[in-house]
Amino acid sequence: MSRVSSGATALPATAETARTVRALRAFRERLGLPALVDVHTHFMPERVMAKVWDYFDSAGPLTGVEWPITYRHEERQRVELLREFGVRAFTAMLYPHKPAMAAWLNAWSADFAARTPDCLHTATFFPEEEAAGYVRRAVEDGARVFKAHLQVGAYDPNDDLLDPVWGLLAETGIPTVIHCGSMPAPAEFTGSGPVARLLARHPRLPLIIAHMGMPEYVDFLALADRYPGVRLDTTMAFTDFAERTGVFPAGELGRLLDLGDRILFGTDFPNIPYPYEHQLDALERLGLGDDWLRAVCHDNATRLFGLPDPSALPDPARPSPLP
């Protein structure tokens, strides 16, 4: 494994990490992929991430199961791991659970994107009077993707305070990764109903349904059929961990193939209870073919976010050095 640049923290030198790097390289080489694009990774202010990990450790009510964090490392190590894994672009999915939190999360995320050029500038929001203003500022500052978490935030996406937010995002075409399915635990505003009502009001809104909408897979696939701006990310879907509690219906595999240009690779790194490559193993065993895998793991997100031609990058597996 290559060394990090001067001043960076060394990678955790474990046999498991080395196996993962080899497995991911073999996956990319077999498919002829220059790299991966992961649209669902988490980077947050240190104290916020620590609280998230504490919650997972406690198997809190929104998880309800034992959930060991596989990549519990310092921030710079996590960035370097993704680069070693061959991920050319990733996100900083962060989200508020209360008012007066989103604006400072956005400020942190803008700084993180500025010092991490392979991270797509990510922002978030909450239903509050200030939302329209700070979302517009985030857009003007170059935000490429937003995150909404209806389960943790416990809010209705149809709240009137969010109407100008959704209108702006529909107008600009900036996608929102939205956690709206009822896994790992249902909440008041999870399920397809609130999102269906939102799309009826903003039919051009670009949404990325996190976790394929599990366990309401069928309902969210139907929304993708109806609204061409709706995409889905694979985060944790089809893995052994997820299939224990919500099996993807085998009869819907054909719809995954039909929607192959609107499904995006995502993982939930670092907050996953298994090695990174297992998400790719889970996708491969669906048996939907190499073209589908290439589109999901790289091409769809590259097109959505207008990423540069990977052949122009000096080393696709390591798109930019740490500052």
Side-chain angles (χ1 to χ4, degrees), residues 125-126 131-135 146 161-170 205:
F125 49 81
F126 194 83
Y134 62 65
V135 167
F146 281 76
L161 291 168
L162 291 178
D163 207 48
V165 170
W166 296 125
L168 177 62
L169 296 179
L205 185 65

Side-chain angles (χ1 to χ4, degrees), residues 62 151 179-186 190 211 213-216 241-242 245-246:
L62 294 184
Q151 182 198 47
H179 185 127
C180 45
S182 300
M183 289 289 283
T190 59
H211 307 281
M214 67 169 79
E216 294 95 350
F241 185 84
T245 52

